[in-house]
Amino acid sequence: METNIREVEHVLKAPAPHMVGDGFRVHNFFPSGYEIDMSPFFLMDYGSKIEFSARKEPRGVGIHPHRGFETVTIAYHGAVAHHDSAGNSGIIYPGDVQWMTAASGILHKEYHEEAYSLAGGAFQMVQLWVNLPAKDKMSKPKYQAIKQADMSKYILPNDGGHIEIIAGNYNDVKGTASTFTPIELYNARLNQGAKISFNFNSKFNTGFMMIEGSIKINDSVIANQDTFTHFKNKGEHIEIEALENSVVLILSGEPIHEPIVQYGPFLMNTDEEINQAISDYNQGKFGYIEE
């Protein structure tokens, strides 16, 4: 048995949900749901599977600003359209990822894609806020639209399924997204009985979001759908076995050891920078986007 096992700290149940706008029912696992350190991941909103009724006027979130971090939206069911003040727009369908670097400041809006809204149906998403180091917080905004068809993949042996490497590197397969700090972000799509292992730097904050199914971790701990497994910062080796067909979002990243000041949609290092962000927003320096 591997001696450098990374032990589980907690298997956390989904906190009570709340609505973001009228289109996103989410469980905030951190920072408000549980006080766990997942830096560089500052926030995780998990939209567990829900059925939305058909509607002509798409649900969503209206125009709002961001500064100082990145939003990463991962779609499992449903479809979301995006527009921002840097001129980017796109639609993410199941399996797709939208990686928006707000950095120095951006306005954007997110809402249910028109055809999905008209038909209704299952909806399930994850949104992460990924903090940026101080030196990059005021860099130029950018947008990475990552389609599942274009995503880097590692095929597991014995029909075990596959790993989609959104960012980082798994078994020498490099992820699709570019990042500012070392981040490992994968979707593990596992068939029942599949056994796989991961090795993450013990200093990296690591967690598994169970999107679907159930797994056994290190031959001992069971994690079921809609739970988040938070690992101790000790040891590097994690083994999992899929107890049924499962989808697991894998997060691991090098923490950013800098002060954080959050004010709503702004994530900076000092109060002065927050005040500047508010002033810049009020002066229209985040650009313009149509309603």
Side-chain angles (χ1 to χ4, degrees), residues 30 35 44 49 51 65 143 158 162 175 251-252 254 285:
F30 57 86
E35 293 182 0
M44 186 177 73
K49 193 184 293 185
E51 292 283 331
Y143 181 82
N158 304 317
H162 64 274
L251 301 82
S252 187
E254 183 176 56
K285 294 183 179 180

Side-chain angles (χ1 to χ4, degrees), residues 76-192:
Y76 296 97
H77 293 279
V80 171
H82 163 94
H83 284 83
D84 68 38
S85 56
N88 300 301
S89 64
I91 298 169
I92 55 171
Y93 296 101
D96 298 342
V97 175
Q98 170 193 288
W99 198 300
M100 185 189 78
T101 304
S104 62
I106 206 165
L107 303 179
H108 80 142
K109 58 180 181 178
E110 303 160 285
Y111 47 94
H112 294 184
E113 183 270 334
E114 186 177 3
Y116 166 76
S117 186
L118 287 170
F123 195 87
Q124 187 181 24
M125 304 258 167
V126 169
Q127 185 170 92
L128 300 165
W129 288 16
V130 180
N131 191 22
L132 291 172
K135 66 181 181 61
D136 297 314
K137 281 189 179 293
M138 294 300 288
S139 58
K140 185 179 178 182
K142 67 175 184 175
Y143 181 82
Q144 301 176 79
I146 306 169
K147 295 295 184 184
Q148 188 181 42
D150 303 327
M151 214 172 280
S152 303
K153 295 180 178 69
Y154 179 85
I155 307 301
L156 298 170
N158 304 317
D159 194 33
H162 64 274
I163 312 292
E164 296 165 355
I165 302 97
I166 301 167
N169 188 304
Y170 181 78
N171 278 9
D172 297 325
V173 178
K174 191 174 184 303
T176 309
S178 64
T179 65
F180 286 81
T181 58
I183 286 172
E184 306 293 326
L185 187 63
Y186 322 142
N187 268 323
R189 299 183 184 271
L190 309 175
N191 293 328
Q192 184 175 3

Side-chain angles (χ1 to χ4, degrees), residues 51-67:
E51 292 283 331
F52 278 108
S53 59
R55 181 170 162 175
K56 188 174 181 180
E57 186 67 28
R59 300 171 175 89
V61 181
I63 297 169
H64 57 285
H66 289 304
R67 172 178 279 182

